[in-house]
Amino acid sequence: MSLLVKGGTIVTASDQYRGDVFVEGERITTIGTSLDLPADRVVDASGKYVLPGGIDVHTHLDMPFGGTTSADDFESGTIAAAHGGTTTVVDFAIQYKGQTLHHAWETWMKKAEGKAAIDYGFHMIVTELTDQVELEMDDLVRQGVTSFKLFMAYPGVFMLDDASIFRALLRTGKNGGTICMHAENGGVIDVLVKKALAEGKTAPKYHALTRPARAEAEATHRAIALAEIAGVPIYIVHLSAAEALEMVTEARDRGLPAYAETCPQYLFLSYDNYEEPGFAGAKYVMSPPLRPKETQDRLWRGLAFNDLQAISTDHCPFCMKEQKTLGEGDFSKIPNGAPGIETRMSLVFDGGVRGGRISLNRFVELTATSPAKIFGLFPRKGTIAPGSDADIVVFDPEKKTTLSVKTLHMKVDYNPYEGREVVGAADTVISRGRVIVDGGRFVGQAGAGAFLRRAART
Ligand SMILES: [Zn+2]
C-alpha cells in the first residue's frame, strides 16, 4: 500500500516548506517537491499543513480512580485522539501496593490490546519501591517501558517518601529510565482538605483552595533537588502553577536537565471555572487544580522560551452523571480529572499559533517532536522525515469548529470548553501509513494500534 500526500505545506519543529510526502507501507520513504510517483492513494493537502502526528504523553484510559473508572477506554479514547490529530499516546500503568511492576504492565497491555486505534506506550506508576521493584525497573527499561511516574501527593494511595523517590532517581542513572513526577505536597494538602471539610466547606471549589500553588512549587523544587543530588534528569508532569514554573526555570538556568509539561486546561481555563453555579465546578476538579487567570500568560511564556517542553492532556474523563456526583457534599470524593485528548491540537493551534504566542514550528515541537525526544520515540515518531513512521496529520488551519460534547467523540457527558470556537483542525489523519480519519470521519480500526517499545536515555 502506498500513499502520496500532495501539495501541502510540510511543517516540522525546524522547517516549513511546500512538498509532497510519499509513504510506502508504514513509513515515509520520500519527500520532495512535485513528486510524480504512482500511489495507491493520493491525499490532496493543498492549502493545508502536513504535520507529524500529535503525541500525547499523558493520558489515563480505562483507569480506576476513587471507586470508579475513567470514562474512555483504549478504544473510545484513541479514536477521539485520532479525530483531534493525535496518533500516539503514552498512558500510565499502575503498580498497586503488593504487586509487581510486570503485573501492572501486563494488566495495562490487556486493556489496550485489540482496542487501541493508534500506537501507544506506557509509563509505569511506581507506588512501592522494594529491592525487587528496582530490579524490575531495569527489566522494564529493556522492554521499552522507559519512564516511571512517582507521586508526591495522595498519601496512603500513590505517594512515595523522599527516600524511595531518591532511590528510584538513582536507579534511572544506571538503567537509562526517566522519572516523571506528580509534584504536589500531599501531606500538606491532606491536612488542608480535612480542615476544610471539618469547617463544612464541601463545594467543588474547595478542591482548588486546598491545593495551593505553593504546595506544587515546594514539591517541584524538592523533586528537582533530589534529581540534582542523584545526578539524573527529571520530568515534571502537568505543571500548572506560575510558582512551580519559577522552580523549573531557576533549575534550567543553572543548567540542570529539568523538564516539564503543561496541559491545555491550564492555558485556557482558570480558577473562575470553579465558581460556576451549583455543582458545575466539579467538571474542572483535577490535580493540580486550575489556577488564577494570570497564570496562563506565564505558562505561555514558559512554552515560548523552552522552560516548558511539552503540552500533554492528562486526559482522565469522568461523567458528571454518576461519577463526578460521587463528590456531591464532599469535594474530596469528586473523581479527579477531565477530558482533553481530542481537543489539544486545535486549542493549542488556535490559542498558541493564531494567538501569536508560539510559532507554528514551536507548536509542532511542543505537541509532537519534543515529547518524542524526551520519551525515546524520536525519530521514529515526532517528525516528517524519510524513515520515520508515516504518522501524518493534514491540518486545515482555517477550519472553524465549535467545541461541544455533542460533536466530540470522547465518551463523557460534558466538555470543559463547551461552546468555545477554535480555528484549525485535523482533516485527514494517517497512522503508520493507514488513513484513519478522512475528512473528519473515523475510518480506522480498533486494535490497529501497536505497543511502542521506547528507547532508554543514552
Ligand atoms: Zn495524570
Side-chain angles (χ1 to χ4, degrees), residues 58-60 63 92 125 149 151 182 237-238 261 287 313-316 336:
H58 193 149
T59 66
H60 298 282
M63 187 192 82
F92 293 86
I125 292 177
K149 185 186 184 188
F151 284 84
H182 178 128
V237 298
H238 51 44
E261 66 181 17
S287 297
T313 62
D314 197 10
H315 176 77
C316 192
N336 284 203

PDB file of all heavy atoms in Angstrom, residues 58-60 63 92 125 149 151 182 237-238 261 287 313-316 336, ligand 1:
ATOM      1  N   HIS A  58       0.583  11.947  28.156  1.00  0.00           N
ATOM      2  CA  HIS A  58      -0.041  11.880  29.475  1.00  0.00           C
ATOM      3  C   HIS A  58      -1.540  11.633  29.330  1.00  0.00           C
ATOM      4  O   HIS A  58      -2.332  12.568  29.199  1.00  0.00           O
ATOM      5  CB  HIS A  58       0.217  13.184  30.248  1.00  0.00           C
ATOM      6  CG  HIS A  58      -0.121  13.107  31.705  1.00  0.00           C
ATOM      7  ND1 HIS A  58       0.548  13.832  32.668  1.00  0.00           N
ATOM      8  CD2 HIS A  58      -1.054  12.397  32.373  1.00  0.00           C
ATOM      9  CE1 HIS A  58       0.041  13.566  33.849  1.00  0.00           C
ATOM     10  NE2 HIS A  58      -0.948  12.698  33.697  1.00  0.00           N
ATOM     11  N   THR A  59      -1.920  10.361  29.308  1.00  0.00           N
ATOM     12  CA  THR A  59      -3.349  10.014  29.249  1.00  0.00           C
ATOM     13  C   THR A  59      -3.655   8.935  30.286  1.00  0.00           C
ATOM     14  O   THR A  59      -2.762   8.183  30.701  1.00  0.00           O
ATOM     15  CB  THR A  59      -3.749   9.481  27.857  1.00  0.00           C
ATOM     16  OG1 THR A  59      -3.089   8.226  27.614  1.00  0.00           O
ATOM     17  CG2 THR A  59      -3.392  10.466  26.749  1.00  0.00           C
ATOM     18  N   HIS A  60      -4.901   8.889  30.699  1.00  0.00           N
ATOM     19  CA  HIS A  60      -5.358   7.854  31.647  1.00  0.00           C
ATOM     20  C   HIS A  60      -6.615   7.202  31.089  1.00  0.00           C
ATOM     21  O   HIS A  60      -7.727   7.609  31.411  1.00  0.00           O
ATOM     22  CB  HIS A  60      -5.686   8.467  33.013  1.00  0.00           C
ATOM     23  CG  HIS A  60      -4.514   9.114  33.686  1.00  0.00           C
ATOM     24  ND1 HIS A  60      -3.538   8.392  34.334  1.00  0.00           N
ATOM     25  CD2 HIS A  60      -4.152  10.409  33.805  1.00  0.00           C
ATOM     26  CE1 HIS A  60      -2.630   9.226  34.838  1.00  0.00           C
ATOM     27  NE2 HIS A  60      -2.977  10.455  34.528  1.00  0.00           N
ATOM     28  N   MET A  63      -8.841   3.902  33.517  1.00  0.00           N
ATOM     29  CA  MET A  63      -8.095   3.941  34.775  1.00  0.00           C
ATOM     30  C   MET A  63      -9.015   3.981  35.998  1.00  0.00           C
ATOM     31  O   MET A  63      -9.857   4.869  36.114  1.00  0.00           O
ATOM     32  CB  MET A  63      -7.181   5.169  34.833  1.00  0.00           C
ATOM     33  CG  MET A  63      -6.272   5.116  36.063  1.00  0.00           C
ATOM     34  SD  MET A  63      -5.399   6.653  36.409  1.00  0.00           S
ATOM     35  CE  MET A  63      -6.669   7.568  37.268  1.00  0.00           C
ATOM     36  N   PHE A  92      -0.549   5.435  31.394  1.00  0.00           N
ATOM     37  CA  PHE A  92       0.106   5.052  32.647  1.00  0.00           C
ATOM     38  C   PHE A  92      -0.409   3.715  33.158  1.00  0.00           C
ATOM     39  O   PHE A  92      -1.609   3.565  33.406  1.00  0.00           O
ATOM     40  CB  PHE A  92      -0.160   6.108  33.731  1.00  0.00           C
ATOM     41  CG  PHE A  92       0.483   7.430  33.442  1.00  0.00           C
ATOM     42  CD1 PHE A  92      -0.159   8.368  32.653  1.00  0.00           C
ATOM     43  CD2 PHE A  92       1.740   7.736  33.953  1.00  0.00           C
ATOM     44  CE1 PHE A  92       0.436   9.601  32.377  1.00  0.00           C
ATOM     45  CE2 PHE A  92       2.336   8.959  33.676  1.00  0.00           C
ATOM     46  CZ  PHE A  92       1.688   9.893  32.886  1.00  0.00           C
ATOM     47  N   ILE A 125       3.634   3.638  36.776  1.00  0.00           N
ATOM     48  CA  ILE A 125       3.462   4.323  38.059  1.00  0.00           C
ATOM     49  C   ILE A 125       3.950   3.392  39.170  1.00  0.00           C
ATOM     50  O   ILE A 125       3.444   2.273  39.314  1.00  0.00           O
ATOM     51  CB  ILE A 125       1.983   4.713  38.292  1.00  0.00           C
ATOM     52  CG1 ILE A 125       1.577   5.809  37.301  1.00  0.00           C
ATOM     53  CG2 ILE A 125       1.760   5.161  39.748  1.00  0.00           C
ATOM     54  CD1 ILE A 125       0.122   6.215  37.385  1.00  0.00           C
ATOM     55  N   LYS A 149       6.492   6.986  36.696  1.00  0.00           N
ATOM     56  CA  LYS A 149       5.863   8.133  37.335  1.00  0.00           C
ATOM     57  C   LYS A 149       5.767   7.886  38.829  1.00  0.00           C
ATOM     58  O   LYS A 149       5.330   6.820  39.267  1.00  0.00           O
ATOM     59  CB  LYS A 149       4.467   8.364  36.760  1.00  0.00           C
ATOM     60  CG  LYS A 149       3.797   9.621  37.301  1.00  0.00           C
ATOM     61  CD  LYS A 149       2.367   9.690  36.799  1.00  0.00           C
ATOM     62  CE  LYS A 149       1.661  10.951  37.199  1.00  0.00           C
ATOM     63  NZ  LYS A 149       0.235  10.883  36.849  1.00  0.00           N
ATOM     64  N   PHE A 151       4.620   9.748  42.685  1.00  0.00           N
ATOM     65  CA  PHE A 151       3.716  10.752  43.251  1.00  0.00           C
ATOM     66  C   PHE A 151       4.273  11.316  44.555  1.00  0.00           C
ATOM     67  O   PHE A 151       4.698  10.568  45.434  1.00  0.00           O
ATOM     68  CB  PHE A 151       2.344  10.127  43.565  1.00  0.00           C
ATOM     69  CG  PHE A 151       1.484   9.895  42.361  1.00  0.00           C
ATOM     70  CD1 PHE A 151       1.635   8.759  41.590  1.00  0.00           C
ATOM     71  CD2 PHE A 151       0.504  10.815  42.002  1.00  0.00           C
ATOM     72  CE1 PHE A 151       0.837   8.539  40.470  1.00  0.00           C
ATOM     73  CE2 PHE A 151      -0.301  10.602  40.893  1.00  0.00           C
ATOM     74  CZ  PHE A 151      -0.136   9.459  40.122  1.00  0.00           C
ATOM     75  N   HIS A 182       4.627  13.629  39.746  1.00  0.00           N
ATOM     76  CA  HIS A 182       3.448  14.411  40.134  1.00  0.00           C
ATOM     77  C   HIS A 182       3.880  15.205  41.363  1.00  0.00           C
ATOM     78  O   HIS A 182       4.018  14.658  42.452  1.00  0.00           O
ATOM     79  CB  HIS A 182       2.257  13.503  40.456  1.00  0.00           C
ATOM     80  CG  HIS A 182       1.033  14.261  40.902  1.00  0.00           C
ATOM     81  ND1 HIS A 182      -0.210  14.067  40.328  1.00  0.00           N
ATOM     82  CD2 HIS A 182       0.855  15.214  41.846  1.00  0.00           C
ATOM     83  CE1 HIS A 182      -1.095  14.885  40.907  1.00  0.00           C
ATOM     84  NE2 HIS A 182      -0.477  15.580  41.846  1.00  0.00           N
ATOM     85  N   VAL A 237       5.316  16.406  35.535  1.00  0.00           N
ATOM     86  CA  VAL A 237       4.079  16.282  34.756  1.00  0.00           C
ATOM     87  C   VAL A 237       3.096  17.394  35.133  1.00  0.00           C
ATOM     88  O   VAL A 237       3.200  18.003  36.203  1.00  0.00           O
ATOM     89  CB  VAL A 237       3.404  14.895  34.940  1.00  0.00           C
ATOM     90  CG1 VAL A 237       4.323  13.788  34.438  1.00  0.00           C
ATOM     91  CG2 VAL A 237       2.988  14.645  36.368  1.00  0.00           C
ATOM     92  N   HIS A 238       2.191  17.650  34.249  1.00  0.00           N
ATOM     93  CA  HIS A 238       1.087  18.617  34.401  1.00  0.00           C
ATOM     94  C   HIS A 238       1.392  19.814  35.318  1.00  0.00           C
ATOM     95  O   HIS A 238       0.695  20.072  36.288  1.00  0.00           O
ATOM     96  CB  HIS A 238      -0.224  17.942  34.820  1.00  0.00           C
ATOM     97  CG  HIS A 238      -0.168  17.010  36.012  1.00  0.00           C
ATOM     98  ND1 HIS A 238       0.499  17.305  37.169  1.00  0.00           N
ATOM     99  CD2 HIS A 238      -0.745  15.799  36.199  1.00  0.00           C
ATOM    100  CE1 HIS A 238       0.328  16.301  38.002  1.00  0.00           C
ATOM    101  NE2 HIS A 238      -0.407  15.382  37.440  1.00  0.00           N
ATOM    102  N   GLU A 261       6.029  19.541  31.531  1.00  0.00           N
ATOM    103  CA  GLU A 261       4.923  19.698  30.582  1.00  0.00           C
ATOM    104  C   GLU A 261       3.827  20.513  31.261  1.00  0.00           C
ATOM    105  O   GLU A 261       3.733  20.547  32.491  1.00  0.00           O
ATOM    106  CB  GLU A 261       4.339  18.325  30.211  1.00  0.00           C
ATOM    107  CG  GLU A 261       3.679  17.649  31.418  1.00  0.00           C
ATOM    108  CD  GLU A 261       3.076  16.262  31.176  1.00  0.00           C
ATOM    109  OE1 GLU A 261       3.403  15.625  30.161  1.00  0.00           O
ATOM    110  OE2 GLU A 261       2.290  15.832  32.039  1.00  0.00           O
ATOM    111  N   SER A 287      -6.142  17.387  39.480  1.00  0.00           N
ATOM    112  CA  SER A 287      -4.980  17.720  40.309  1.00  0.00           C
ATOM    113  C   SER A 287      -3.712  17.728  39.477  1.00  0.00           C
ATOM    114  O   SER A 287      -3.464  16.752  38.778  1.00  0.00           O
ATOM    115  CB  SER A 287      -4.819  16.701  41.436  1.00  0.00           C
ATOM    116  OG  SER A 287      -5.949  16.757  42.267  1.00  0.00           O
ATOM    117  N   THR A 313      -2.139  16.122  27.751  1.00  0.00           N
ATOM    118  CA  THR A 313      -3.516  16.454  28.182  1.00  0.00           C
ATOM    119  C   THR A 313      -3.871  16.046  29.607  1.00  0.00           C
ATOM    120  O   THR A 313      -4.775  16.624  30.190  1.00  0.00           O
ATOM    121  CB  THR A 313      -4.557  15.784  27.257  1.00  0.00           C
ATOM    122  OG1 THR A 313      -4.409  14.364  27.351  1.00  0.00           O
ATOM    123  CG2 THR A 313      -4.384  16.250  25.833  1.00  0.00           C
ATOM    124  N   ASP A 314      -3.234  15.008  30.161  1.00  0.00           N
ATOM    125  CA  ASP A 314      -3.719  14.410  31.411  1.00  0.00           C
ATOM    126  C   ASP A 314      -5.188  14.016  31.244  1.00  0.00           C
ATOM    127  O   ASP A 314      -5.982  14.120  32.179  1.00  0.00           O
ATOM    128  CB  ASP A 314      -3.548  15.384  32.593  1.00  0.00           C
ATOM    129  CG  ASP A 314      -3.653  14.678  33.941  1.00  0.00           C
ATOM    130  OD1 ASP A 314      -3.671  13.434  33.966  1.00  0.00           O
ATOM    131  OD2 ASP A 314      -3.732  15.377  34.970  1.00  0.00           O
ATOM    132  N   HIS A 315      -5.531  13.568  30.033  1.00  0.00           N
ATOM    133  CA  HIS A 315      -6.913  13.142  29.733  1.00  0.00           C
ATOM    134  C   HIS A 315      -7.351  12.073  30.732  1.00  0.00           C
ATOM    135  O   HIS A 315      -6.771  10.988  30.791  1.00  0.00           O
ATOM    136  CB  HIS A 315      -6.955  12.576  28.308  1.00  0.00           C
ATOM    137  CG  HIS A 315      -8.287  12.012  27.899  1.00  0.00           C
ATOM    138  ND1 HIS A 315      -9.347  12.819  27.542  1.00  0.00           N
ATOM    139  CD2 HIS A 315      -8.735  10.729  27.781  1.00  0.00           C
ATOM    140  CE1 HIS A 315     -10.388  12.051  27.210  1.00  0.00           C
ATOM    141  NE2 HIS A 315     -10.043  10.786  27.355  1.00  0.00           N
ATOM    142  N   CYS A 316      -8.359  12.389  31.521  1.00  0.00           N
ATOM    143  CA  CYS A 316      -8.847  11.461  32.543  1.00  0.00           C
ATOM    144  C   CYS A 316     -10.306  11.807  32.810  1.00  0.00           C
ATOM    145  O   CYS A 316     -10.650  12.429  33.814  1.00  0.00           O
ATOM    146  CB  CYS A 316      -7.993  11.598  33.811  1.00  0.00           C
ATOM    147  SG  CYS A 316      -8.294  10.280  34.996  1.00  0.00           S
ATOM    148  N   ASN A 336     -10.919  12.883  40.290  1.00  0.00           N
ATOM    149  CA  ASN A 336     -10.030  13.912  39.729  1.00  0.00           C
ATOM    150  C   ASN A 336      -9.766  13.666  38.252  1.00  0.00           C
ATOM    151  O   ASN A 336      -9.242  12.619  37.881  1.00  0.00           O
ATOM    152  CB  ASN A 336      -8.672  13.860  40.433  1.00  0.00           C
ATOM    153  CG  ASN A 336      -8.683  14.472  41.823  1.00  0.00           C
ATOM    154  OD1 ASN A 336      -7.635  14.882  42.319  1.00  0.00           O
ATOM    155  ND2 ASN A 336      -9.839  14.525  42.469  1.00  0.00           N
TER     156      ASN A 336
HETATM  157 ZN    ZN B   1      -2.247  12.259  35.225  1.00  0.00          ZN
END
